[in-house]
Amino acid sequence: MPFYHHGLLRVAVATPRVAVADPNANMAQIIELLREAQTASVAVTVFPELCITGYTCGDLFGNATLLNAAQDALNELLAFTGTQYQGVAIVGLPWAVDGALYNVAAVLHRGKLLGVVPKSYLPNYKEFYEHRWFGTASKAHTLEIPFKNEGSIPFGPDLLFRIADVPGCVLGVEICEDLWMPVPPSSLQAVHGATVLCNLSASTEIVGKMTYRKNLVTQQSGRCLAAYLYAASGVTESTTDVIFSGHGLVAENGSLLTESTRFERNNTLTITEIDLDRINGDRQRQPSFSDAAHYGFTSPHQYRIVELQLKQSQQAASAKLYRRIDPHPFVPGSGPDRDERCAEVFHLQTAGLAKRLETVGNVPLTLGVSGGLDSTLALLVACQTLDLLQRDRTQLTGFIMPGFGSTDKTKTLAHQLIEQMGVKVRETDIRSLCLEQMKQLGHAPFGIQLDGLDVAALTEKLKAVPREKRHDLVFENVQARMRTSMLMNAGFVIGTGDLSELALGWCTYNGDQISMYNPNVGVPKTLVRYLIRWVAGHHYAGKPLEKLLHEIADQVISPELLPTSGKADEVQSTEASVGPYELQDFYLYHFLRFGFTPAKLLYLSSQAVFDMNYSEAERQQWLRVFLKRFFANQFKRSCLPDGPKIGSVSLSPRGDWRMPSDASAVAWLE
């Protein structure tokens, strides 16, 4: 049965071996590929242009023997789909209508010919001369055509095919050159509801065309907020004058999902899944898309809708997806892509901070440096920004403020970092200030009465607190707010908190949540490590600072606010409280970027590599934590300081994310 689950529809683009001008032989190859598609539960399979006859038949297209054989082959394909392929198949062939010949796409489903779509634009330049044989769709005035025993079949470029039992799935069809036009038919189809655009192509191959074609398909899917399925003729077409490579492509909303290997000599079927939830969600969130259908971007005709029932299978839901689900959506794969992304992020951060510093002038700058990930990244950005503005780095003071949970290791790292970065340093032990404030509050941390205790005595008593009892929000908040108070009173505060911490509320209101400008606000935790390592290798290669930055990037993520006995394994772990950041960032990306349901988040996490590291129960546990914390901590995000948007996911209350602070998470948790 065709695969559809959680908005994911399985599709394929096919390139069959072609025997030029031999429809029966070509039909056999198409059937072989449809058998493979059926085994893989493919719901929509798109074949190349004129695949039943071959694209390179030349003047043979004017011969009735070839045209009749093509019709007979199509009839055989219909019979096959009636019993042995349950998805939608779209094939190409020549078709004579009212004394004219058309290059068409035939849409088949379960033994029915649903419609025939003629090509709108015919190339007639260089190696192409289709006007010699075919008429354009604009010349076709017949709305229905006969075929064998099928009765009247819808015919024309104004057809859309709605799969009624797959929400938000409407197929639009165009043929090769149509895509290369200033306003492709697929653009018109998209603004009139098509979400899956199918192109039957016979694009020839020359040096450099592959990249152009790939960009064209990908960009069209982005402009149309749609999936784009591009099936191309292969190397077994005639090579009298040109070569075909069989370059199949599937793109979605501006991203290339998969492509075939070119120049294969055997049948190829390239399979993936398209995400209809993502497509329709993006359209809903971008009202300018729907505006295009009403303001000047209209079709010369009204579209006719042909409906079908896919009768998809829900039993295959546990099957492994062909589509790769990236476990780290905020982090590019590796090599040049990752370097390019890190460079772009770092430039965005420095550009944002530079404008703010130009505005405020040469005021003293302050930044709390803990020796951890976020403050290190903020320090790197701040120093690069000062260099960019040709200001002395000593305008910035790095504050080291050890508290009751600080370790000697991180304090040493902080000192080394500040020294090598060339900024001013000021170390202030905040424990005595925090102790005095807790006394004024009448607070007894962990049940310890503070009367008569000094810092040394309290520190010793804290070491004896059992590990399972080290929970005291006031004790933590006093330290976080004391640090912020010192920074605020000393100058213009550069913030350090990242996007992931804001999503989970892992920050103290009016503490580390507050700054005067935060260059890290749009950077997720999973990307912070890579940014630090990138800066180390590209800005400080061969210097002692490079090694130090890599050491910092390897640290356990910790706020260091709770006391320890001094043992390394007792360092307060952030991820033990809020969950693994790689998992929470995965949920954050798909929840905010696409609005996916919790059930779909869990399903996608099972399809990523997370099932190798986390059980289903663990993934569900941390998703609950994510949802509870995300909803409960909106009040911290409602008054965020300024900071630059970095990626497609942002929590700025002035930009991407507006949410009431008292919204309920019940529906999501249920």
Side-chain angles (χ1 to χ4, degrees), residues 30 47-54 90-94 103-106 200:
I30 293 170
F47 288 85
E49 180 178 11
L50 295 169
C51 59
I52 287 181
T53 58
I90 307 176
V91 297
L93 71 160
N103 177 348
V104 307
L200 295 74

Side-chain angles (χ1 to χ4, degrees), residues 18 52 113 211 247 307 325 444 450 489 506 581:
V18 167
I52 287 181
L113 179 56
T211 301
H247 191 195
E307 289 209 351
I325 304 299
L450 299 180
N489 291 331
W506 192 249
Y581 272 115

